[in-house]
Amino acid sequence: MIHCSYNSLWMGQMIQPDWDMFQSDHICAKFHAGSRAICGGPIYVSDSVGSHDFDLIKKLVFPDGTIPKCIHFPLPTRDCLFKNPLFDQTSVLKIWNFNKYGGVIGAFNCQGAGWDPKEHKFRGFPECYRPITGTVHVTEVEWNQKKEASHLGKAEEYVVYFNQAEELSLMTQKSEPIQFTIQPSTFELYSFVPVTKLGGSIKFAPIGLTNMFNSGGTILDLEYVENGAKIKVKGGGNFLAYSSESPKKFQLNGSDVDFEWLSDGKLSLNLPWIEEACGVSDLSILF
């Protein structure tokens, strides 16, 4: 994972870096799957026949075999450069990337395993297995690195979705960083989505399908209208958006549907996978 992220720094200027395969039934499978979800490239596994963890794979891949892919190659955040997130017992590897309508940062506690220059082999370093604290901030996503994403870095406010903790937070460019503590060989994925004001006071931001590691990659199209938003989403599962007020109407493929809105701003709806539509649903959220 660390080698792939630093290779991306160099090779991404010329090619789409490949993050290689992983085993879905490995003890660290979820850890590796989290990084592949935001790698911007293909996702593939090297499982033995019959040794697949399909519950994990379904967090990465749609039923038709396509993936919610980031639109850039992943890069380590600047505060990770010239650090040693394998053995220094203080550093978390942080990787950022873009989706079409937001950014994402993955924070990974990689401490404790790697190449031993004395023994000339890979091994574990148990003394490094410990929880690591750190911070993450919306400005660590380098929005100006891709023309299509540069406007996303100019928002007044962002909603931050913690994919593993299933929490929401609000942040501006001037906010204090989010503090975190990550256990050994675990991770968190932070989605940063610009907040739009509807009708002058209603704050809204679509997050995507939370049952997928790269939630923001499930949003194919987003259009704001006078009294709401129209969203095209691919996949089945729990769709989540941030909304400061409850909508008056929620439509799925042209029909009114029930939805759940909580006082913390979580607006959710369970989406079916519709094979005839290649898994794409049209949502209309009206205030």
Side-chain angles (χ1 to χ4, degrees), residues 7-17 73:
N7 283 341
S8 292
L9 188 64
W10 304 105
M11 302 303 292
Q13 311 305 319
M14 298 168 281
I15 63 171
Q16 174 63 52
F73 54 90

Side-chain angles (χ1 to χ4, degrees), residues 9-235:
L9 188 64
W10 304 105
M11 302 303 292
Q13 311 305 319
M14 298 168 281
I15 63 171
Q16 174 63 52
D18 178 75
W19 274 49
D20 213 340
M21 62 193 77
F22 71 101
Q23 294 171 293
S24 71
D25 65 341
H26 190 274
I27 190 172
C28 292
K30 184 178 179 181
F31 187 58
H32 284 279
S35 70
R36 301 319 191 272
I38 61 172
C39 76
I43 296 173
Y44 49 108
V45 296
S46 56
D47 296 335
S48 299
V49 175
S51 298
H52 309 295
D53 183 343
F54 287 108
D55 289 337
L56 179 64
I57 293 172
K58 288 175 182 178
K59 295 180 180 293
L60 297 167
V61 183
F62 294 128
D64 64 357
T66 60
I67 59 176
K69 190 167 64 173
C70 288
I71 63 174
H72 198 248
F73 54 90
L75 292 172
T77 57
R78 293 188 181 234
D79 62 338
C80 289
L81 298 178
F82 309 111
K83 297 290 182 67
N84 187 349
L86 283 174
F87 309 122
D88 68 8
Q89 302 184 45
T90 60
S91 301
V92 169
L93 176 69
K94 292 187 296 183
I95 306 164
W96 64 267
N97 209 335
F98 303 124
N99 287 305
K100 192 173 180 181
Y101 297 103
V104 60
I105 295 178
F108 300 86
N109 184 347
C110 301
Q111 296 283 336
W115 180 257
D116 188 324
K118 294 181 179 180
E119 298 185 18
H120 298 284
K121 65 178 183 180
F122 288 96
R123 71 175 183 88
F125 293 78
E127 66 273 15
C128 298
Y129 298 159
R130 53 182 291 183
I132 303 295
T133 60
T135 63
V136 67
H137 199 277
V138 65
T139 54
E140 293 176 319
V141 179
E142 302 201 21
W143 308 96
N144 60 355
Q145 293 291 317
K146 194 170 183 67
K147 184 178 180 181
E148 298 94 313
S150 59
H151 69 285
L152 300 174
K154 300 174 182 177
E156 292 183 5
E157 191 173 28
Y158 298 83
V159 63
V160 188
Y161 178 65
F162 303 45
N163 182 272
Q164 296 299 290
E166 300 181 353
E167 296 176 359
L168 287 180
S169 181
L170 291 173
M171 169 176 272
T172 70
Q173 304 252 4
K174 297 181 180 180
S175 294
E176 291 295 316
I178 295 171
Q179 306 281 334
F180 61 69
T181 299
I182 298 184
Q183 299 298 318
S185 299
T186 63
F187 68 97
E188 183 60 89
L189 298 174
Y190 301 91
S191 295
F192 298 89
V193 185
V195 172
T196 296
K197 288 186 177 181
L198 302 173
S201 61
I202 300 170
K203 295 181 179 181
F204 181 85
I207 292 160
L209 296 180
T210 59
N211 49 292
M212 305 297 286
F213 281 140
N214 185 26
S215 304
T218 64
I219 299 177
L220 305 183
D221 195 42
L222 171 63
E223 178 187 0
Y224 287 108
V225 294
E226 184 178 355
N227 61 335
K230 294 183 178 181
I231 309 169
K232 194 177 293 289
V233 182
K234 181 165 185 175

